[in-house]
Amino acid sequence: MRGVYTIWLRETLRFVRNKSRLVGSMGMPLFFLLFMGTGIGSVIGDSAGGGYTQFMAPGVLGMMLLFGSVFSGLNVVFDKQFGFMKEMLVAPISREAIVLGKALGGATAAMLQAVILLALVYAFGVLEFNVVSLALLIPVMFLISVGFVCVGVAFASKLDDPHGFQLIMNFLIMPLFFLSTAFFPLDNLPPWLKTLSLLDPLTYGVDAMRSILVGQAAFPLWVDVAVLAGFSTLAVLVGARLFKDMKL
Amino acid sequence: MMGSTIVEIRSLTKRFGKLTAVDAMNLDIQEGEIFGLLGPNGAGKTTTISMLSTTLAPTSGKALVARHDVVREQDAVRGAIGIVFQGQSLDTELTAYENLDFHARLYAVGDKETRIKEMLELVGLHKNRDTLVKNFSGGMKRRLEIARGLLHKPKVLFLDEPTLGLDPQTRRHIWEYVKRINREDGVTILLTTHYMEEADYLCGGVAIIDYGRIISLDEPQKLKSRLGETVLDFHVSDADAFCGLLKKNKCKTKKSAVGGRVQVVSSDGEELLPKLVSLAERNGVQVKGVSMHSSTLEDVFMQLTGRTIRDEAGNEKETLRQRFRAMEAKR
């Protein structure tokens, strides 16, 4: 536990100190929401009562969590490159504690970003929510981010080059994001696309957040949460496994 | 303090594929001493340290550090050692204090504030406590790493090439700190280096290693006196002929890998020098230059291997790779 907390503390300290990362990470989701949301919304009109921007908002939140989480795996690559990984590996703490600390640290960072985005969305009047929905939202965001941080850690354990990591992650992130029903509902998709979307863990994350924030959903909330919990657990296990086998 | 064995290495071997990086090494290090592993890049020094610090699993053989097995009791070993890696290993986005604080938490150091303060003062960085490490010079980073390695009061401190890439003045400073922590904390220090003068100045015992094997082991002074007091470096027109002449006159010689250079070791260099020059001239070997100096560990290495330890900053993996390629090419 001591180890987990210490690793988490460092990740969080580094994140809070790095203001440019925090501000920069807000850009993309806001552009999506503002430009794409308004633009596409003007074409398809007011379909589901709340407008397209409102439909898209949980999807953009999911994007924020996905990007923020997966790229915290980049810290692992940098730790390897700048040698700090060695300091952690010779410490009298288990490898599992390091991975768990990293996962929680990355999740904290991603969730902080998401909460700020949520506040902005609220301020713009796109979404309305209360304390209850926020209380429901936090655990869902936690499951999403822990899962995807571990996906990032898993890849980072195998890769040594930060640029390579970013390239490969883009290959992974973009389809995950587009398939996640962030932009379109699941119902009317052609079967092949629907199948792919159903295989994307982020679909259930976006669906859960949409059901909490907007009240629309493809699945009952408990199904979403169950799938997310399964995904996160699996990701932690795989991440820890690959991290243990890591070569410096 | 002296007397009990704190690092015990028995037939320790590490193979990377067909290449043997560390070859059945046996070594005992006594508590409280500063011991040096001396050898060129790729000799297996860092590989040895990696195995002793549990970050690399040995292929065979065993090693005990502070009476704990490095394979079976990894956590106990990790708690008992401090390590300063060859490459930089600080978090440069954090301050000096934060780096030490992180370390203290990982190792569950009791009364960490006091200990951090002590360590920062020991390495003379207390004024830079709250400076981000990225603004530190190379020497300051090294000192901070040494402070960090000592923070949790380890029984053994590993220093892997502690002064690699530092300027001579900073190197001197680091030496003084190393001597001081050994004296004041009583911590056993195992350091690797390819700087002869570093091993000579700091170490009570030295193991010279080459191709993963210990080829000589003793106190630096004894290694040198065994060799002879003075070393004559000849630069001649025909090294082979000159060596032949020297052999007939029963001189201890070694032909250098560098063309035309021959090294002669002797206990009375001053008398021998004019004799050898005239001997060469009489036999048609032209002497282009001679220099004489009292013997160093560099000469010991030269006598043992016929090569010099080049003063180059290198990465052990790369050198091992080169060794591997050379080995393949020989077949």
Side-chain angles (χ1 to χ4, degrees), chain A residues 203-205 207-209 211 217-229:
Chain A
T203 300
Y204 304 90
D207 195 59
M209 292 194 290
S211 93
F219 308 104
L221 188 55
W222 70 268
V223 173
D224 289 329
V225 172
V227 174
L228 284 175

Side-chain angles (χ1 to χ4, degrees), chain A residues 2-3 5-7 9-10 13-14 17 82-84 86-93 95 248, chain B residues 53 55 78 83 85 87-91 93-94 98-99 102-103 105-108 132 148 317:
Chain A
R2 184 186 80 237
Y5 170 71
T6 308
I7 305 281
L9 192 67
R10 165 171 176 260
L13 191 62
R14 279 173 65 101
R17 194 158 287 173
F82 293 114
F84 197 75
K86 291 180 283 189
E87 155 82 352
M88 287 187 272
L89 292 183
V90 293
I93 56 168
R95 300 289 187 265
L248 274 183
Chain B
S53 60
T55 52
R78 287 189 199 144
I83 179 162
F85 300 97
Q88 205 258 113
S89 65
L90 295 163
D91 187 336
E93 301 293 320
L94 301 183
E98 285 163 348
N99 267 285
F102 179 80
H103 189 86
R105 287 170 189 275
L106 282 185
Y107 287 77
L132 289 180
R148 186 179 67 180
K317 249 190 215 161

Side-chain angles (χ1 to χ4, degrees), chain A residues 161-236:
Chain A
D161 172 36
H163 303 295
F165 178 81
Q166 278 171 340
L167 278 173
I168 289 177
M169 287 299 106
N170 280 335
F171 264 106
L172 187 78
I173 281 180
M174 284 307 170
L176 281 176
F177 173 44
F178 289 131
L179 289 171
S180 72
T181 72
F183 295 129
F184 40 76
L186 201 59
D187 314 332
N188 303 321
L189 297 179
W192 66 270
L193 191 57
K194 190 168 181 175
T195 314
L196 286 177
S197 280
L198 286 174
L199 287 173
D200 179 357
L202 190 60
T203 300
Y204 304 90
V206 169
D207 195 59
M209 292 194 290
R210 191 170 282 143
S211 93
I212 295 168
L213 290 169
V214 191
Q216 301 173 344
F219 308 104
L221 188 55
W222 70 268
V223 173
D224 289 329
V225 172
V227 174
L228 284 175
F231 159 67
S232 294
T233 313
L234 187 70
V236 171

Side-chain angles (χ1 to χ4, degrees), chain B residues 186-316:
Chain B
V187 61
T188 310
I189 294 174
L190 174 59
L191 69 87
T192 75
T193 183
H194 65 272
Y195 296 124
M196 296 292 169
E197 64 283 19
E198 183 162 292
D200 205 353
Y201 183 77
L202 285 175
C203 301
V206 169
I208 297 184
I209 65 176
D210 194 31
Y211 293 123
R213 285 178 164 280
I214 294 180
I215 52 176
S216 194
L217 172 85
D218 212 328
E219 292 166 30
Q221 207 47 52
K222 289 193 179 149
L223 283 173
K224 285 186 291 183
S225 61
R226 230 191 284 162
L227 181 71
E229 301 301 311
T230 46
V231 175
L232 302 171
D233 270 314
F234 282 88
H235 187 192
V236 293
S237 57
D238 186 344
D240 291 318
F242 190 53
C243 280
L245 289 173
L246 293 171
K247 259 188 203 124
K248 273 185 215 156
N249 288 275
K250 297 189 177 66
C251 284
K252 223 171 155 186
T253 64
K254 199 85 190 183
K255 199 172 76 178
S256 163
V258 190
R261 303 222 172 245
V262 177
Q263 214 179 48
V264 182
V265 185
S266 149
S267 50
D268 52 353
E270 278 174 46
E271 283 176 36
L272 196 63
L273 176 59
K275 282 186 200 160
L276 291 184
V277 172
S278 67
L279 176 75
E281 305 278 271
R282 266 186 278 127
N283 291 280
V285 177
Q286 193 198 343
V287 179
K288 295 174 180 167
V290 193
S291 71
M292 185 169 80
H293 60 265
S294 33
S295 60
T296 63
L297 286 177
E298 178 83 47
D299 302 315
V300 175
F301 185 80
M302 167 85 195
Q303 285 293 322
L304 289 167
T305 66
R307 291 176 293 123
T308 55
I309 296 188
R310 281 181 310 284
D311 184 3
E312 60 191 16
N315 146 334
E316 176 151 291

Side-chain angles (χ1 to χ4, degrees), chain B residues 160-176:
Chain B
D160 195 4
E161 298 277 2
T163 64
L164 186 71
L166 298 179
D167 61 84
Q169 199 195 347
T170 313
R171 181 173 300 162
R172 277 267 158 202
H173 277 300
I174 300 281
W175 289 355
E176 293 313 319

